[in-house]
Amino acid sequence: FSALVLFHGTCSVSLTLLNKQLALTFPHPLLAILLQNAGAALLSVGLFVVGVLPMRPVMRSHVLPSAACSFVLILVLLSSFWQLKVASIPLVGVMRNFTPLVTAFF
């Protein structure tokens, strides 16, 4: 269990630092989000093909709710990229960890 927590923490910090550098040097945040999500999708399909990750077929009734959730996620990721351009990493971390509490009250 502790190895998984350590792995998750390492990945989280590494990706935050990588995204900070990306936000400062790459002027196209939508393209960056598209490429990151395409990579995650390809990795998921690859894990499915080798039998590590189970997948179920997409149902027509899931498309509209998924599209709405995806749109909101894109807005969150864009705001995160813009935030990384202007704020320090510790401030971004505090704000990111504070978000669930604020969401719970609204």
Side-chain angles (χ1 to χ4, degrees):
F1 176 74
S2 60
L4 289 176
V5 172
L6 181 64
F7 178 71
H8 177 269
T10 303
C11 288
S12 178
V13 170
S14 300
L15 290 175
T16 300
L17 293 172
L18 177 67
N19 280 337
K20 171 73 173 180
Q21 189 62 35
L22 187 62
L24 293 173
T25 59
F26 191 68
H28 309 289
L30 278 174
L31 181 59
I33 292 169
L34 175 72
L35 292 173
Q36 288 177 347
N37 284 298
L42 288 173
L43 180 63
S44 296
V45 170
L47 291 173
F48 169 70
V49 168
V50 297
V52 175
L53 182 69
M55 286 187 170
R56 294 179 289 187
V58 176
M59 307 285 287
R60 186 180 300 256
S61 61
H62 296 161
V63 173
L64 188 58
S66 296
C69 288
S70 296
F71 178 74
V72 171
L73 176 63
I74 288 170
L75 291 178
V76 168
L77 292 173
L78 276 175
S79 70
S80 178
F81 260 89
W82 291 325
Q83 183 183 40
L84 282 169
K85 276 187 176 181
V86 297
S88 67
I89 290 177
L91 179 62
V92 171
V94 168
M95 291 172 66
R96 190 173 288 156
N97 291 330
F98 194 61
T99 301
L101 181 63
V102 173
T103 304
F105 285 113
F106 293 103

